[in-house]
Amino acid sequence: MGLQGDTIPLGREVAGIVQRGLKSRTCLGKRGRLVTTDLASFPFVRAVGPKVTFFQPDDEVVGILPLDSVCSGLSEVIDINEQYLVPKPEKLSCTSVAAALEDGLCAYRALHTHAHMAAGQMLLVVDGASSFGLMCIQLACYHGVKVLTTSHSQEQHTFLEQLRPAVVRVIPIYKNSSDLLAAVMEETGCLGVDIVVDQGVRMQEKEQPDEEEGREEATFLPHKHDIISMLAVGGHWVTSQQDLQLDPPDSRLMSLKSASVSFLNPHVWLASSFQQGRHLHILKDIMEKMSSGVLRPQPEEAVPLQEAAAAMEDVQLQNKKKAVVEM
């Protein structure tokens, strides 16, 4: 299996309503709804085949198109196997589901699959006010995990402190990013945290940020050595830094702690048929927790279809992490 980051298709999350069929496949069509994530879409299901067993015409569904799908989420008609779809609760809007689907999936993979979180553990979520960070905080609090998080501005700090269930502490790294390690060790009695979930790290002490990334955003990234130093014995580090480089002293420190590092790549799970059942179980659980109010994603403002091309370009250039396009 070969995956290249620059060839992963956009617009793959889908939801909608079922109509009638094509053997074992389901046909999805647009009904004035939307598109989101890397860019994802919410169509309605136009047809089901005679071998479709899980859905009936007019059922509302949600799912993520496989990597080898010939259709984009922006297509007028999508031909997709029923094994990629789960029911969408009626009380959830397409906008909220579109905005939360990939972030929820990433949070589940980070905390359950990689970190094996358990009640009573201590978790650090870097940039908790982001859509992914917020999902991690809400999911961890639901399972009885103690959460520390960081804020990048005074507005984010106030927002995170008002969350319910409440986090243990919000660390304002916008004042001084070097305070993160000291604050974590103070809060944990110098024992460290059991789990760290980042959204990128600095690998050099005085790393020069790219012009596109922005100097301010790069300043907020924690240093890799600080992350390793704050891990408890047997701790888990889940990172989104694709080009992470661990030097021999870093590896030795992690070895002494019997700690582990794993990489978060949500796209790869759809490439493994062995993981398909677990993937659908996670999607279904996300829908149930959103319906019950356990997971409350950040609201996203949808853009009209005419601006879809510009929105997709912004996502591809990483000017924004997601876009919701109303059909």
Side-chain angles (χ1 to χ4, degrees), residues 9 17 56 82 92 134 138 157 164 180 191 275 280:
I17 305 172
Q56 297 297 324
E82 64 175 339
L92 296 179
L134 185 60
Q138 293 172 348
H157 192 85
R164 296 294 180 270
L180 177 59
L191 295 177
Q275 298 287 341
L280 289 178

Side-chain angles (χ1 to χ4, degrees), residues 125-128 130 132-133 197-201 221 238 240-241 321:
V125 178
V126 179
D127 191 9
S130 66
F132 167 63
V197 178
D198 71 41
Q199 298 185 59
V201 296
L221 294 178
V238 183
S240 300
Q241 188 72 35
K321 293 184 178 180

Side-chain angles (χ1 to χ4, degrees), residues 246-262:
L246 294 181
D247 300 321
D250 300 325
S251 298
R252 175 169 173 75
L253 181 55
M254 293 195 68
S255 175
L256 291 173
K257 293 186 175 189
S258 190
S260 64
V261 59
S262 56

Side-chain angles (χ1 to χ4, degrees), residues 126-127 150-154 156-157 173-174 216-217 220-221:
V126 179
D127 191 9
T150 64
S151 60
H152 294 177
S153 67
Q154 182 59 52
Q156 289 185 6
H157 192 85
I173 61 174
Y174 62 90
E216 184 177 2
E217 182 178 348
F220 294 147
L221 294 178

Side-chain angles (χ1 to χ4, degrees), residues 30 32 97 117 129 146 156 161 163 174 176 185 220 274-275 326:
K30 302 294 180 189
V97 174
M117 70 172 177
K146 303 172 185 177
Q156 289 185 6
E161 285 190 328
L163 286 179
Y174 62 90
N176 189 347
M185 300 310 286
F220 294 147
F274 179 75
Q275 298 287 341
E326 188 167 4

